[in-house]
Amino acid sequence: MNLEETRKQAASVITSADLLKHWQGHRSLTRRVIEAFPEKELFEFTVAGMRPFAAMAQELLAITAPGIRQVAGHGTEELNEQLDQAGSKASILTLWDEATAEIDRYWAQIPDERFHERIVAFGQYEGTVWSTILYFIDNEIHHRGQGYVYLRSLGMEPPYFWER
Amino acid sequence: MNLEETRKQAASVITSADLLKHWQGHRSLTRRVIEAFPEKELFEFTVAGMRPFAAMAQELLAITAPGIRQVAGHGTEELNEQLDQAGSKASILTLWDEATAEIDRYWAQIPDERFHERIVAFGQYEGTVWSTILYFIDNEIHHRGQGYVYLRSLGMEPPYFWER
């Protein structure tokens, strides 16, 4: 039995269903962070010359649906952060909800054994399927944490981190 | 077969070894973020009245070693963020490295089936062992993302997010 087979036979510490719920829980919180921004500040406010939170949300959107399609084995797509139809808070939230449905839809197509296969997401990010998904989640938490600083800088209270 | 048994028998999508490596990789990046701060700014610089990054690092330290001991089944501990011996960058980094060794030591004591058991970390945070560990990691990513804004506000380049 080679290493890969040993890994596949190891008992589960996080199941596919756990990981999906974990991701969607984080996405639900990020949605509320997007919602918390006033319209103008979502697109214009920055700290230290960093991107406005709308640009970070667009990065997350650029990753999510194309990312889950690749994870599910539907070929490679290029990363495109220039999204049409993301010019208002309402439209970003609509795209967010569409991506939520896409995740649920494609997740159902991922067999458990697929999580340990290697992929090159967006033609450039090498990893296993599980590590790629965790990277998507981690990247979202990272930028959302930055969004919390923006909200605080605007004198606003961000949603509780532990509410998913 | 009840739900719990079904979960345990599901194929692994993230193994115990995967999760340990994932956590330690994140901790290695956070260590470099702590190191990147100048001594004075680590303890004094803030954005929007938030805590200095040293206080966030102390929170992470307060969670890490006591958290892994609880996860490994060694009883409940209270959360204590008032750490002695965390008054300089060098001492925080020393505590960080000690926590790294603690994680490795106690992780080896966690059987795979333990990850789906329910615990009440620090006597107040309910969850499964796997979700508790992910919460520790997510909380670290969240605050580290805030540390990135602090470093940018100080005119400094943070370490690359993808370097672990």
Side-chain angles (χ1 to χ4, degrees), chain A residues 12 30 47 76 94 111 120 136 153 160:
Chain A
S12 167
T30 306
V47 175
T76 298
T94 298
V120 184
F136 295 167
S153 297
Y160 292 122

Side-chain angles (χ1 to χ4, degrees), chain A:
Chain A
M1 191 158 66
N2 66 23
L3 180 65
E4 199 57 30
E5 286 164 338
T6 307
R7 288 165 60 101
K8 282 179 192 165
Q9 294 198 4
S12 167
V13 306
I14 300 181
T15 67
S16 171
D18 292 335
L19 189 58
L20 172 60
K21 191 175 169 200
H22 182 71
W23 191 6
Q24 294 286 32
H26 271 299
R27 294 186 71 262
S28 164
L29 175 58
T30 306
R31 191 186 194 284
R32 276 176 285 132
V33 172
I34 296 167
E35 270 190 303
F37 275 84
E39 182 79 32
K40 184 177 184 313
E41 282 74 11
L42 179 62
F43 288 88
E44 296 179 9
F45 183 77
T46 74
V47 175
M50 295 173 70
R51 293 175 293 171
F53 195 63
M56 296 184 188
Q58 285 171 38
E59 176 193 305
L60 300 176
L61 285 168
I63 289 171
T64 304
I68 189 69
R69 287 193 291 265
Q70 291 169 83
V71 152
H74 293 268
T76 298
E77 302 183 35
E78 288 196 7
L79 187 63
N80 173 21
E81 296 184 35
Q82 306 307 315
L83 305 179
D84 298 334
Q85 303 173 315
S88 68
K89 181 160 82 172
S91 59
I92 287 177
L93 291 174
T94 298
L95 292 171
W96 199 265
D97 294 338
E98 290 171 4
T100 301
E102 288 274 276
I103 291 173
D104 285 340
R105 189 156 77 93
Y106 285 99
W107 198 275
Q109 302 179 10
I110 311 173
D112 283 350
E113 59 272 21
R114 168 85 175 144
F115 285 86
H116 293 292
E117 290 176 9
R118 296 198 72 81
I119 60 168
V120 184
F122 298 101
Q124 50 182 325
Y125 306 109
E126 261 200 271
T128 55
V129 165
W130 74 261
S131 73
T132 301
I133 294 166
L134 277 190
Y135 193 91
F136 295 167
I137 299 171
D138 295 347
N139 184 56
E140 176 167 340
I141 300 168
H142 174 72
H143 287 308
R144 189 180 59 212
Q146 298 174 338
Y148 273 56
V149 184
Y150 287 18
L151 286 174
R152 292 272 181 205
S153 297
L154 289 163
M156 303 181 73
E157 181 89 15
Y160 292 122
F161 178 70
W162 55 87
E163 283 183 0
R164 301 292 156 82

Side-chain angles (χ1 to χ4, degrees), chain B residues 81-106:
Chain B
E81 296 184 35
Q82 305 308 314
L83 304 178
D84 298 334
Q85 306 174 315
S88 67
K89 179 160 82 171
S91 59
I92 288 176
L93 292 173
T94 298
L95 291 170
W96 199 265
D97 294 338
E98 289 171 5
T100 302
E102 288 273 275
I103 291 172
D104 285 339
R105 188 155 78 93
Y106 285 99

